[in-house]
Amino acid sequence: MKILILGSGQVGTAVAQNLVEIPNHDVTIIDNDPEALHNIGSKLDVQTLLGNGSSPAMMAEGGAYDTDLLLALTRHDETNLAACKLASSLFNIPNRIARVRLSDYLEFTSCDVEEDNAGRSTLDLFGVSESICPEQLVTERLADLLCHPSALQVLTFAEDKVRMLVVRAQSGGRLLGQPIHTIHEHLPEDTDCQICAIYRNNKLIMPTPQTVIQPGDEVFVAAATSQVTEVLRELRPQQQPTRRVMIAGGGQIGFRLSRQLEDRFDVKIIEINEKRAEWLSENLNSTLVLHGSAADESLLEGEYIDEIDVFCALTNDDENNIMAGMLAKSLGAKRVIAIVNRSSYVDLLQGNTIDIAVSPHLVTIGSILAHIRRGDVEAVHPLRGGNSEAIEIVAHGDKDTSKLVGRRVSAVRWPNGCHVAAVVRGEEVFMGHQDVQLADGDHIILFVARRRVVSELEKLIQVRMGFFG
């Protein structure tokens, strides 16, 4: 696949790094920052071009006429949208993904306009095939974490019929110290789950029925969404639900999260910029807006930080987030979540003073990879710094055209390191049962321990040509 990336910032660089590790991808990056291009060109096997990504001449030089996919990932919405329009109208690039931050572009739909355009979104008019809004993706991830106070990560699949959670096992969980196969002795009769992987001292353990979970293990467990709370009790004591949330940083993510949470939780938000704080107070309903620094000890103490259930450090500066999170925890905040843009920091910080470190780039990459992967890939979630993945695929075809349909889960030759977590068929959820016979339209959720086997998985799920005849 020939891929043209506009923008060599943190998102563009992280996406390129993921793409070049997959065979048969030819990647070209255009940016107007020579230093950034030099850095990425010296590390990755990609072609780099210096210039304006939305220039038709520059896009043509980058091979736009025979490009399969455009990823417009610059920091500027207008540049990304103009590039997608050119890619669609001038170069006929079949797939065009744009990073879009401004809500007007995402939400506005034409109504009182000429008949030809009535009801079309703004993105349709710019020729955008798919839009990626990192701020919204991160907001959704944070909201899920706040609803599951025991989890380090919460991933949703099959229209939220199944969730995979990453949980650090803790003494007091009913399953600790016992073999995994005994879990059904504790769960209600109609409740099921699948333990997909365990990391112990940063080493992967592929679980068997005889594996014993120990305190401190990082456990990847999948369950029907309605049964998640019951399953979590197997791995750690039940925690009090979240009621009070304090957010440091009133930028796009802080504002979006406050707006999403303020009807359910008691929310306070701290913003250092006075004008932005005034704007937040005018555009939020019940959220208490505080003007000041999240690193101000007296401010935190004055706002009863020791009664806060979750402190979220969501500024654009990693160091500020880390320091504010550490200060809040030392002053009594029960749980701290911090945005950390440097992916290499995530595993170093998480589980210490910072309970959860969220990488916007890994969240964004997952959304982009779902559009790039061959075959019927519905969702991709990078895990463990991108070394592992949780993937949702859809089975299509019949016994003659598919290597999946008509076969039992146990009869499929899955790539080494692929673990079937769940199969979703309509409203039914089967939790990794090896005797389930796969059918056309089934959604299959897998844990992939090593990303290098993804190309094998893509070949496995491809439908033979007879299916289209």
Side-chain angles (χ1 to χ4, degrees), residues 370-383:
H371 299 299
I372 295 172
R373 293 282 166 79
R374 293 183 176 87
D376 291 289
V377 178
E378 287 287 305
V380 178
H381 296 286
L383 302 167

Side-chain angles (χ1 to χ4, degrees), residues 25-298:
H25 280 168
D26 180 5
V27 179
T28 300
I29 302 177
I30 301 175
D31 199 297
N32 53 17
D33 184 341
E35 184 178 351
L37 286 179
H38 173 74
N39 290 337
I40 195 170
S42 63
K43 297 175 183 176
L44 303 177
D45 182 18
V46 298
Q47 180 183 358
T48 59
L49 293 174
L50 179 64
N52 178 5
S54 61
S55 160
M58 186 58 61
M59 291 177 69
E61 186 179 346
Y65 282 110
D66 60 350
T67 288
D68 301 299
L69 171 66
L70 173 75
L71 294 173
L73 304 176
T74 76
R75 297 178 182 273
H76 306 290
D77 288 357
E78 291 75 15
T79 299
N80 297 336
L81 294 174
C84 284
K85 182 63 176 176
L86 290 172
S88 174
S89 302
L90 185 59
F91 298 110
N92 199 30
I93 297 176
N95 298 298
R96 305 162 301 275
I97 299 176
R99 175 184 182 181
V100 182
R101 304 177 68 185
L102 190 63
S103 58
D104 277 358
Y105 289 130
L106 296 167
E107 299 168 2
F108 182 81
T109 301
S110 55
C111 296
D112 301 323
V113 295
E114 62 270 21
E115 187 175 338
D116 288 346
N117 288 329
R120 297 179 67 189
S121 72
T122 305
L123 299 182
D124 289 334
L125 300 176
F126 278 103
V128 176
S129 303
E130 300 285 347
S131 63
I132 303 294
C133 180
E135 290 82 4
Q136 185 57 34
L137 293 171
V138 172
T139 299
E140 292 169 359
R141 181 66 59 85
L142 292 168
D144 285 340
L145 286 168
L146 289 167
C147 292
H148 293 288
S150 300
L152 300 174
Q153 278 187 274
V154 181
L155 313 176
T156 62
F157 300 95
E159 298 179 337
D160 204 16
K161 294 184 180 70
V162 172
R163 292 191 173 188
M164 183 182 292
L165 289 87
V166 184
V167 183
R168 194 170 303 282
Q170 210 174 73
S171 296
R174 295 180 294 203
L175 187 62
L176 266 69
Q178 301 183 55
I180 288 175
H181 69 82
T182 64
I183 192 169
H184 296 289
E185 298 175 7
H186 319 136
L187 292 173
E189 187 175 345
D190 60 346
T191 302
D192 200 359
C193 68
Q194 185 72 200
I195 294 178
C196 309
I198 299 169
Y199 281 86
R200 182 174 297 159
N201 300 321
N202 289 321
K203 293 183 178 179
L204 173 65
I205 297 173
M206 296 306 291
T208 68
Q210 286 70 43
T211 301
V212 176
I213 295 179
Q214 300 177 6
D217 284 354
E218 194 172 301
V219 182
F220 292 69
V221 59
T225 299
S226 60
Q227 300 174 354
V228 162
T229 302
E230 188 67 38
V231 170
L232 288 179
R233 294 175 185 167
E234 296 293 316
L235 300 171
R236 54 186 300 149
Q238 186 174 6
Q239 291 185 241
Q240 292 296 319
T242 300
R243 289 189 299 152
R244 301 181 183 89
V245 178
M246 181 177 284
I247 296 172
Q252 283 291 324
I253 295 175
F255 168 67
R256 287 171 184 264
L257 185 62
S258 298
R259 187 172 60 177
Q260 190 166 333
L261 298 179
E262 61 182 356
D263 291 337
R264 291 180 288 162
F265 304 121
D266 177 8
V267 181
K268 298 178 182 180
I269 186 168
I270 303 173
E271 171 55 45
I272 196 168
N273 183 285
E274 185 175 0
K275 288 186 177 180
R276 180 65 178 179
E278 291 176 359
W279 184 91
L280 290 169
S281 65
E282 293 169 0
N283 288 274
L284 292 168
N285 296 322
S286 58
T287 298
L288 175 62
V289 180
L290 304 167
H291 173 230
S293 169
D296 183 342
E297 184 175 346
S298 60

Side-chain angles (χ1 to χ4, degrees), residues 325-345:
M326 293 175 69
L327 177 61
K329 195 63 175 286
S330 70
L331 294 175
K334 297 177 181 63
R335 192 162 170 244
V336 171
I337 301 174
I339 282 182
V340 180
N341 288 289
R342 295 187 186 180
S343 302
S344 57
Y345 283 9

